[in-house]
Amino acid sequence: MALESAPPGVDITRPSPARVYDYALGGSANYPVDRQAAEEVWRVAPETRQLARDSRGFLIRAVRFLADEAGIDQFLDIGAGLPTADNVHQVARRANPRAQVVYVDNDPTVRLHAEVLLDGDPNAVFLSGDVRRPEAIIERTRSLLDLDRPVALLLVAVLHFVAEDPRGIVDRLIAALPPGSHLVIAHTTSADMDPAFRERLARTYADAPAPLITRTPEEIEAAFRGRTPLPPGLVDVACWRTAQPRTPGPLRVLGGVARL
Ligand SMILES: C[S@@+](CC[C@H](N)C(=O)[O-])C[C@H]1O[C@@H](n2cnc3c(N)ncnc32)[C@H](O)[C@@H]1O
């Protein structure tokens, strides 16, 4: 059942990206204001609902790849989102039951739900934090993950809510990670976007608390800081290491995984 009354500290007068995304994924941790915002976006861009599923599918396949094939057992997931089916610690632990995950998000709704889901799990911890303050996140992660061993840094569908240049943010995060770590990025792109569609999208998101910022494929590639994303490269999330690729619509999300 959908939520109608807010716990303390949660603003339900304005939509939150986490709860709008939750609604798009079919979750119930959202409020009328989020559902209305989602429906408005879907009227302009109906395929964004599928895009949320594609993006989540990319995250799951990337974590499976990292845990299964790259031997990663530590994950730092920033902009983690609300718990849903197949969260990072659950996917990673299918490959490695000892996998450790630090989830970070700046949305109080996410914190409340994460605390319930992760209660008592010493190896899956939630931190309230903002990706725009990378040093604070790293400082608090030091006591939770072993930063002398490889870590997968997950920045999936979060940097497009940040106006700052993602390169600086990524630089400050990866400076703390040892070689053999991996960087996962998924980000909305303006590539091949019809100008009229772009304008309608901008108007739809103009008043959102965290407007969606599309970037060019070159700008997204630059966030990998000189590392070449592993095959198949930086591609539409619905096409990344899947047997059932989907043709993208006018709004696209590019995703990739690079070794640091
Ligand atoms: C679209 S969801 C993506 C969730 C998850 N990474 C996934 O791919 O399924 C974006 C998440 O980023 C979070 N977020 C947005 N801006 C943020 C910021 N500045 N710092 C930390 N988290 C942020 C939102 O609260 C939301 O939970």
Side-chain angles (χ1 to χ4, degrees):
M1 205 180 73
L3 305 171
E4 300 306 330
S5 65
V10 172
D11 180 1
I12 60 164
T13 63
R14 282 151 59 86
S16 102
R19 298 187 316 238
V20 169
Y21 188 68
D22 172 73
Y23 183 52
L25 291 174
S28 57
N30 49 73
Y31 296 88
V33 69
D34 307 306
R35 302 195 277 278
Q36 196 182 331
E39 308 276 355
E40 266 164 37
V41 174
W42 296 342
R43 256 195 301 281
V44 179
E47 71 287 352
T48 50
R49 183 176 202 153
Q50 178 60 40
L51 208 53
R53 297 204 180 107
D54 289 342
S55 191
R56 189 77 195 177
F58 164 77
L59 169 69
I60 290 169
R61 293 195 302 281
V63 170
R64 200 182 294 145
F65 162 76
L66 291 163
D68 247 352
E69 297 181 41
I72 296 287
D73 63 0
Q74 303 189 98
F75 296 81
L76 175 55
D77 181 8
I78 306 181
L82 279 155
T84 175
D86 266 352
N87 296 291
V88 170
H89 69 288
Q90 293 159 328
V91 177
R93 284 180 189 167
R94 273 183 227 131
N96 183 343
R98 289 181 309 283
Q100 290 179 286
V101 180
V102 172
Y103 292 106
V104 181
D105 205 286
N106 69 345
D107 188 318
T109 320
V110 174
R111 174 176 53 76
L112 291 173
H113 284 263
E115 279 167 2
V116 173
L117 177 83
L118 304 176
D119 183 38
D121 188 333
N123 291 325
V125 175
F126 178 84
L127 301 178
S128 288
D130 194 310
V131 72
R132 292 167 296 184
R133 287 191 271 288
E135 287 81 8
I137 293 175
I138 292 295
E139 245 352 273
R140 294 167 68 205
T141 302
R142 282 188 195 288
S143 59
L144 300 166
L145 300 180
D146 177 358
L147 299 190
D148 291 328
R149 292 199 304 109
V151 172
L153 170 62
L154 313 179
L155 295 168
V156 178
V158 60
L159 293 172
H160 53 216
F161 293 113
V162 170
E164 284 92 326
D165 186 342
R167 290 177 300 181
I169 291 175
V170 171
D171 278 343
R172 288 150 71 197
L173 288 167
I174 64 176
L177 306 182
S181 294
H182 285 68
L183 171 62
V184 182
I185 295 177
H187 194 298
T188 307
T189 182
S190 49
D192 304 327
M193 197 185 277
D194 172 63
F197 177 81
R198 183 193 314 237
E199 200 185 304
R200 284 169 69 202
L201 195 68
R203 258 186 279 132
T204 308
Y205 272 100
D207 296 328
L212 184 75
I213 295 161
T214 57
R215 293 189 167 93
T216 64
E218 293 73 25
E219 287 170 322
I220 301 170
E221 183 111 36
F224 284 94
R225 311 310 294 126
R227 277 71 167 191
T228 305
L230 300 169
L234 180 63
V235 297
D236 286 281
V237 283
C239 300
W240 192 87
R241 293 174 75 99
T242 173
Q244 291 145 343
R246 236 177 27 81
T247 311
L251 185 60
R252 298 169 54 197
V253 176
L254 299 183
V257 178
R259 192 174 192 278
L260 300 175

